[in-house]
Amino acid sequence: MYSIIREVDTEFRELAHDIDEARAAVAQAQAAEARVFARAAAVGARRVAALGSPSSREAELPLRALAAELGAAARMSDRTVQRHMNDAATLTEKFPATFNAWEQGRVSTGHVRTIMEHGLPLTDPDARALFETEALLRAEETTPGRLGASLARLAESLQPRTLTERHQEARASRGASVRDIGDGMAEFSTIQPAVLAHAMHDRLTQQAKTLKNADPTDTRTLDQIRADLVADMLLTTTPTVETGAGLSDGFGGLGAIRGI
C-alpha cells in the first residue's frame, strides 16, 4: 500500500514539474512577443520624431502604418496592435525588472498585468521601483487574482499623498470626448469619478435589461441598448440638478442617482 501511495506521489510531482515548465515556456513566449511590440513602439516613436513638428493627425500616420503591418502579420486588429505596443513600451520604461522576470518565465502574463495596474499610479520612480521589487517577490508565490489585493495595499502605502488628496486632484481630468472610428461610427467616452461611472453603467444596464425583458422581439444586445439609451438620454433630456460645481462626489448631486 505504501509503495502505491509513493508511486502516485511521484507521478503527481512529475506532473506538477511538467506543468510548471510548460507555464514558464508560455510566459517566455508571450514576453518574447511583447519585446517585439516594444521594439515596434520605439520604431514608431522614431518615425514620429523624424517628422519634426507634425500635427496630431500627421503624427498618427507612422504608428497606424506600423500597426497595420504588424496586425496583418499577427492576424490582429490595428487597435489591438497599438494597445500592445503602448503596454510593451510602458513595461520597458517603468517596469524593466518585471519584463525580465516575465522573459525568464518566473511570472505569468496575469502577474505582469496586475503589477502594472497597481504600480502605474505611483508616479515617483523610487517609490515605483520599491513597489516593483516587492511585487515580484509576492508574484512568484501566489496567483494573479490573489496578488491584486496585496499590491493594492502595497501601492497605497507607498503613495506620498492620501487617496482623498489624489482623488480631488484627479477630478480635474473629468471630461467627455469623441473620436471617429470609420464606417460612419464614432466613439464617445467620458472620464468621471469612479463612483459616478459605475453608477451610470449600472443604471444603463438595469434599464437595458428592463427593456429587453419587456420586448422578447427586441434583437439588440445589451451593449447596443446601453448605447441607444446614452444617445436618448443626452439628446432628449435636460439637467435637473445643480451643475455649477459639477455632478460629482464631494460636491452633492449624488442624490440624483436613482436605481430602477
Side-chain angles (χ1 to χ4, degrees):
M1 182 67 176
Y2 176 73
S3 63
I4 294 177
I5 294 175
R6 187 168 60 181
E7 182 179 344
V8 171
D9 287 345
T10 300
E11 288 181 329
F12 286 1
R13 285 194 295 271
E14 289 177 352
L15 287 169
H17 175 269
D18 290 346
I19 195 66
D20 183 56
E21 286 198 335
R23 295 289 295 175
V26 169
Q28 289 171 323
Q30 291 172 329
E33 181 183 66
R35 279 295 182 193
V36 177
F37 284 122
R39 286 165 46 205
V43 170
R46 288 199 303 270
R47 296 287 177 87
V48 171
L51 295 176
S53 301
S55 66
S56 59
R57 189 176 185 83
E58 290 175 326
E60 291 181 359
L61 295 179
L63 294 175
R64 285 185 176 180
L66 183 54
E69 185 73 20
L70 293 179
R75 293 174 293 281
M76 294 180 180
S77 71
D78 296 4
R79 293 181 67 184
T80 298
V81 169
Q82 286 191 303
R83 187 177 70 251
H84 284 318
M85 287 167 58
N86 291 337
D87 289 346
T90 299
L91 196 59
T92 300
E93 178 185 354
K94 299 183 177 180
F95 301 93
T98 300
F99 214 150
N100 291 336
W102 192 17
E103 289 179 312
Q104 295 165 10
R106 290 162 42 206
V107 296
S108 70
T109 302
H111 290 113
V112 173
R113 289 173 180 162
T114 302
I115 290 172
M116 289 182 66
E117 175 189 352
H118 294 285
L120 280 174
L122 293 168
T123 56
D124 179 72
D126 293 334
R128 191 167 57 242
L130 287 173
F131 168 86
E132 184 179 27
T133 298
E134 178 60 26
L136 285 173
L137 292 175
R138 299 184 187 186
E140 293 185 49
E141 299 296 330
T142 190
T143 66
R146 292 178 178 175
L147 181 65
S150 172
L151 294 191
R153 293 190 295 271
L154 174 63
E156 183 61 30
S157 71
L158 293 171
Q159 285 284 5
R161 297 180 300 161
T162 67
L163 176 60
T164 299
E165 292 172 331
R166 300 197 309 274
H167 176 65
Q168 288 176 345
E169 180 179 321
R171 284 186 64 260
S173 68
R174 67 190 187 278
S177 61
V178 65
R179 182 175 70 90
D180 291 328
I181 57 177
D183 297 326
M185 300 296 287
E187 179 180 82
F188 176 83
S189 62
T190 179
I191 297 176
Q192 298 282 348
V195 64
L196 292 183
H198 285 286
M200 290 158 62
H201 188 269
D202 181 67
R203 186 182 186 194
L204 286 170
T205 300
Q206 290 182 55
Q207 291 182 328
K209 288 180 177 178
T210 298
L211 290 173
K212 188 75 171 176
N213 293 334
D215 184 3
T217 65
D218 193 336
T219 60
R220 293 177 297 173
T221 66
L222 284 179
D223 266 345
Q224 290 170 339
I225 297 176
R226 277 191 286 252
D228 293 343
L229 284 168
V230 170
D232 182 64
M233 289 178 185
L234 291 180
L235 296 175
T236 65
T237 61
T238 56
T240 57
V241 296
E242 277 294 328
T243 58
L247 175 62
S248 183
D249 51 342
F251 283 89
L254 289 180
I257 299 174
R258 292 285 188 269
I260 295 176

